[in-house]
Amino acid sequence: MPLPLGLQLYSLREAAAKDFPGVLKKVAAMGYRGVEFAGLHGMKPAEVARIVRDLGMECVSAHMPCPTPENLSQVVDDAKALGIGYIVTGGWIDQFKDAEAIKAFAAKVEAGAELVAPHGLKVGIHNHWCEFDHTVEGKLPHALFMSLTRKAFAQLDIYWARFGGTDPAAYLGTLKGRVPLLHVKDGTLEKDAHGRPCTPHTAVGAGKIDTAAAIKAAEKAGAQWLLVELDNCATDMEEAVRQSARFLVSKGLAAGACGCGCSCS
């Protein structure tokens, strides 16, 4: 059975800022089974969770601040109200530039994971390309981070891993049991003179990522959800999100709203 398909709502952030309930309704109609949050656009967590449930979807996870003693109560309350089990945070270039930075960031995330563990919650990191475009102490920065943590999980973004120069399917083989969420993203992989992205993303299936290989590897590694995310798009974002779901479900790579993995949704 294919893994269930969800959407990182950051993809539709502009529309959601104007009409979040309307966007959630559209996402459900596209055949997505779950959602991952990147802000609630002024709405209360419990209210959003009710809308999602009423639409027949699941609240899977949310991108939130890393838990600390100072924000613990708020983070836990929001996560519980949403009904999610996964809290996703992340770093940037400065957090992965060298061994000292990586070790400090790993300690911070691991401490956050330990704080929320008694509440039945897990903490992990979402990656960009800076975790995969160089080595530190003979390892990819992402791999070094994972070796320094025990409770933290990886939400592997397959596009950014490939953009950084790493084969996501091969790398997923090293994350068995530690990658419950997979970010499915596609694009041209084009870089500017500084090695940064220079073109928008595409609908999944329209770019250069071997999505099928990555998803099969994620299944073997124990992933629980596939989450489409497009940071930006040259075409209409809503249509790209719809096309991504249609591609993944019709190819049997993900299970849509009907749950059977066919193209009926």
Side-chain angles (χ1 to χ4, degrees):
M1 176 71 70
L3 295 174
L5 182 64
L7 177 69
Q8 164 51 268
L9 292 166
Y10 180 77
S11 308
L12 298 173
R13 59 195 178 277
E14 294 181 5
K18 300 175 183 177
D19 181 9
F20 196 22
V23 164
L24 292 171
K25 186 175 181 179
K26 288 182 178 180
V27 171
M30 291 177 191
Y32 285 94
R33 295 181 64 182
V35 291
E36 178 177 67
F37 301 100
L40 302 180
H41 305 283
M43 296 184 67
K44 295 181 178 180
E47 182 181 11
V48 173
R50 178 186 58 77
I51 293 172
V52 172
R53 289 195 302 269
D54 287 349
L55 289 169
M57 296 189 295
E58 294 183 40
C59 297
V60 179
S61 49
H63 282 205
M64 303 172 69
C66 185
T68 65
E70 292 73 26
N71 69 14
L72 179 62
S73 178
Q74 188 67 59
V75 168
V76 170
D77 286 350
D78 288 350
K80 291 293 187 179
L82 286 172
I84 62 172
Y86 300 106
I87 295 169
V88 186
T89 186
W92 189 230
I93 294 171
D94 284 349
Q95 283 72 46
F96 292 96
K97 63 183 179 180
D98 55 33
E100 182 179 0
I102 296 169
K103 290 174 183 178
F105 185 55
K108 176 182 177 180
V109 176
E110 188 73 355
E114 291 177 353
L115 282 172
V116 299
H119 302 279
L121 300 168
K122 297 181 179 181
V123 175
I125 64 164
H126 172 276
N127 64 277
H128 297 90
W129 64 89
C130 56
E131 296 93 326
F132 293 95
D133 63 358
H134 63 290
T135 58
V136 176
E137 295 186 349
K139 296 181 178 180
L140 291 170
H142 193 277
L144 179 57
F145 172 93
M146 295 303 293
S147 73
L148 294 168
T149 59
R150 292 294 178 267
K151 291 184 179 296
F153 67 84
Q155 180 185 73
L156 192 74
D157 185 304
I158 63 175
Y159 182 83
W160 289 134
R162 180 66 184 83
F163 188 90
T166 297
D167 177 0
Y171 187 68
L172 280 160
T174 71
L175 297 176
K176 188 173 182 179
R178 300 192 69 185
V179 57
L181 311 174
L182 191 76
H183 260 203
V184 184
K185 182 179 293 176
D186 210 342
T188 65
L189 296 173
E190 293 180 43
K191 301 179 180 181
D192 64 16
H194 304 287
R196 301 291 183 89
C198 63
T199 57
H201 296 136
T202 68
V204 176
K208 294 185 177 180
I209 300 300
D210 189 345
T211 306
I215 289 176
K216 290 177 182 177
E219 291 174 344
K220 292 180 180 178
Q224 300 297 307
W225 279 89
L226 305 177
L227 300 168
V228 168
E229 182 192 41
L230 305 177
D231 295 8
N232 47 61
C233 194
T235 59
D236 178 75
M237 180 61 86
E238 183 179 319
E239 180 54 34
V241 168
R242 182 180 292 105
Q243 183 180 336
S244 297
R246 187 181 302 124
F247 170 81
L248 290 166
V249 175
S250 67
K251 296 296 183 181
L253 297 173
C258 70
C260 66
C262 70
S263 59
C264 61
S265 63

